[in-house]
Amino acid sequence: MANIREIAKRAGISIATVSRHLNNTGYVSEDAREKIQKVVDELNYTPNALARAMFTKNSKTIGLMVPNISNPFFNQMASVIEEYAKNKGYTLFLCNTDDDKEKEKTYLEVLQSHRVAGIIASRSQCEDEYANIDIPVVAFENHILDNIITISSDNYNGGRMAFDHLYEKGCRKILHIKGPEVFEATELRYKGFLDGARAKDLEIDFIEFQHDFQVKMLEEDINSMKDIVNYDGIFVFNDIAAATVMRALKKRGVSIPQEVQIIGFDNSFIGELLYPSLTTINQPIEALAYTIIELLIKIINGEGVLIEDYIMEVKLIERETTISLKDLDPASI
Amino acid sequence: MANIREIAKRAGISIATVSRHLNNTGYVSEDAREKIQKVVDELNYTPNALARAMFTKNSKTIGLMVPNISNPFFNQMASVIEEYAKNKGYTLFLCNTDDDKEKEKTYLEVLQSHRVAGIIASRSQCEDEYANIDIPVVAFENHILDNIITISSDNYNGGRMAFDHLYEKGCRKILHIKGPEVFEATELRYKGFLDGARAKDLEIDFIEFQHDFQVKMLEEDINSMKDIVNYDGIFVFNDIAAATVMRALKKRGVSIPQEVQIIGFDNSFIGELLYPSLTTINQPIEALAYTIIELLIKIINGEGVLIEDYIMEVKLIERETTISLKDLDPASI
DNA sequence: CTGAAAGCGCTAACAG
DNA sequence: CTGTTAGCGCTTTCAG
């Protein structure tokens, strides 16, 4: 692959001028520009970003750590993060941690070695591992260290909204299927939901899933639920798990929402494909992704940012798995 | 961030020896090894992959181009490609092309500039753009150029199996919802399906969707289908589109599979979450991903590979959206 | 077993 | 407006 020296030689001009032209930095005569561009086009020359990065100390790459890219919520996040990053001139390294601390640690080293300009750590399981990283980091959902910004949705409030909604719809025998304890986000949803119930003096049952979506694994969790039919309202910690729960219920002949109302969390695309379509709490993916990228790039550029929690508003998306009792067609019960 | 010179100085040893130790290449005395490792640990030193890449001409990175990472089939592919790549010591750049030629071209340049060791181009819309790339490339699904290997599932056969299955189940008024013409994969499914029908002298109707899954867009396509209720069997070009079709049918009160049988394609996780669960054609994601990575890395390493089409076997996954007529409970019709 | 030195491709002073 | 030059951090001959 050609290099800048080759271009300079063929154009009969020094490499400094070629560099200036390529980067549009400093003066270059129109005449020189043309000559250079001609050779650049002929040789299909592309500047070596690695060499450039070594000098400028900015590789223009960002490491994106996600639990798993096949998780519908995280891949929607990844999709828009990718777009924002690209618009800013950054390319993403894709890192699936599988919610596994060891894998996260390994990737952390890989990203470090590639001298990424910044790291987005979603649902991190690490702490001190980030202490000696001198690369800008922003955390999504799980907190890492005091000096690392955390971005998340207002999960607590979302949980509370979920409860209020079910309650409003008339549910009184309520179950919450909660996520693994190590997920701060689902833990907050649980707390919010619980506080909502307490405010109404209502007792609530809980089941904890041992893991998040990893194609097929949820089914096991579902099988462990026995008396799931005894409730009239269920709040599931995310949409994909809710889909699995819905499927299990239908298999047992339970009709939704007539017999059990369901509410999920995320508002990932899957909710709209289900039948009945899933009532859920929307996480503002665009706002989350935008905030993550903006903050990270500000830190990369040495601009000051407030070290604090950045919490984005959620909102209820009412669809078909919840329904007002008065709207119920008696015949369908 | 520390560099090798710093390590060498602190360890009182030359950088050459430090390098040898780090890469386990050439002789280094046990004594030297210890001294070096001690400093490496103290300083949390990680070798600069950029500098290394400049010298070795192998960046140990791979550019993964996918239409969109939120497409369930492609993100499952990405997930396992990522795992295989990591095991081989490669890290992935994530590139969403959105099935847009211009975006693909842009990313091609970006990947070139980052001097990726190889490129995986899924469903590429380009041709000549790849002619002057001196980076190993493998294509998934769409062919690019004669000298570029293409890996894909046996889509033709899959289409044929889909027809045979519906026919066997008793369907005679059949519709195929096909993908955009520029997708070689869905085009082959269409051809296979058509040939199956011809073999039985059966006339079949077709509808063409204008685009693949991009959260929300499919709904428009669905709305454009009027007489969708007049069929007893539908083959949809992929699972996610099938999910949308199922939802539309149920909204119109059509029962599946009693009135219409449905078969999708991909066997992405979504099929199992639907109710009834979706009969579909399995694409062997593991085998595809494995082949893609194996071939690409062989090319990167200069080992010879056969330039030809690598076609992986598909198989029918029978679930609940198709059913033998004799199994039908008359009461449920 | 170890070190000096050249060079990968680029950018940014600095001196014309 | 342009060219020379010194590195960025690393690996690898080639001499010891």
Side-chain angles (χ1 to χ4, degrees), chain B residues 15 79 126 135 137 145-146 161 178 187 237 318:
Chain B
I15 61 168
S79 183
C126 298
I135 295 175
V137 177
L145 292 168
D146 283 347
M161 287 162 68
K178 69 190 286 290
E187 211 59 14
F237 69 104
E318 195 170 345

Side-chain angles (χ1 to χ4, degrees), chain B residues 2 60 62 129 174 208 264-265 275 304:
Chain B
K60 288 287 192 168
I62 288 175
E129 290 80 357
I174 296 180
E208 178 172 322
F265 204 108
Y275 191 81

Side-chain angles (χ1 to χ4, degrees), chain B residues 6-69:
Chain B
E6 176 81 13
I7 305 293
K9 200 168 66 184
R10 296 211 189 195
I13 292 193
S14 80
I15 61 168
T17 304
V18 175
S19 176
R20 268 183 227 113
H21 166 65
L22 258 23
N23 297 294
N24 247 309
T25 157
Y27 298 102
V28 178
S29 68
E30 205 41 55
D31 182 53
R33 288 204 119 90
E34 275 172 27
K35 276 194 226 156
I36 296 168
Q37 195 53 48
K38 187 158 161 269
V39 181
V40 164
D41 292 341
E42 273 172 23
L43 268 59
N44 190 28
Y45 168 75
T46 323
N48 185 328
L50 272 35
R52 184 176 281 174
M54 278 192 64
F55 189 92
T56 61
K57 303 288 179 194
N58 185 345
S59 59
K60 288 287 192 168
T61 57
I62 288 175
L64 174 64
M65 303 227 219
V66 288
N68 194 297
I69 199 66

Side-chain angles (χ1 to χ4, degrees), chain A residues 40-71:
Chain A
V40 165
D41 292 341
E42 272 172 23
L43 268 58
N44 190 27
Y45 168 75
T46 323
N48 186 327
L50 271 36
R52 185 177 282 174
M54 278 191 63
F55 189 92
T56 62
K57 303 287 179 198
N58 185 345
S59 59
K60 288 286 191 171
T61 57
I62 288 175
L64 173 65
M65 302 227 219
V66 290
N68 194 298
I69 200 66
S70 62
N71 179 316

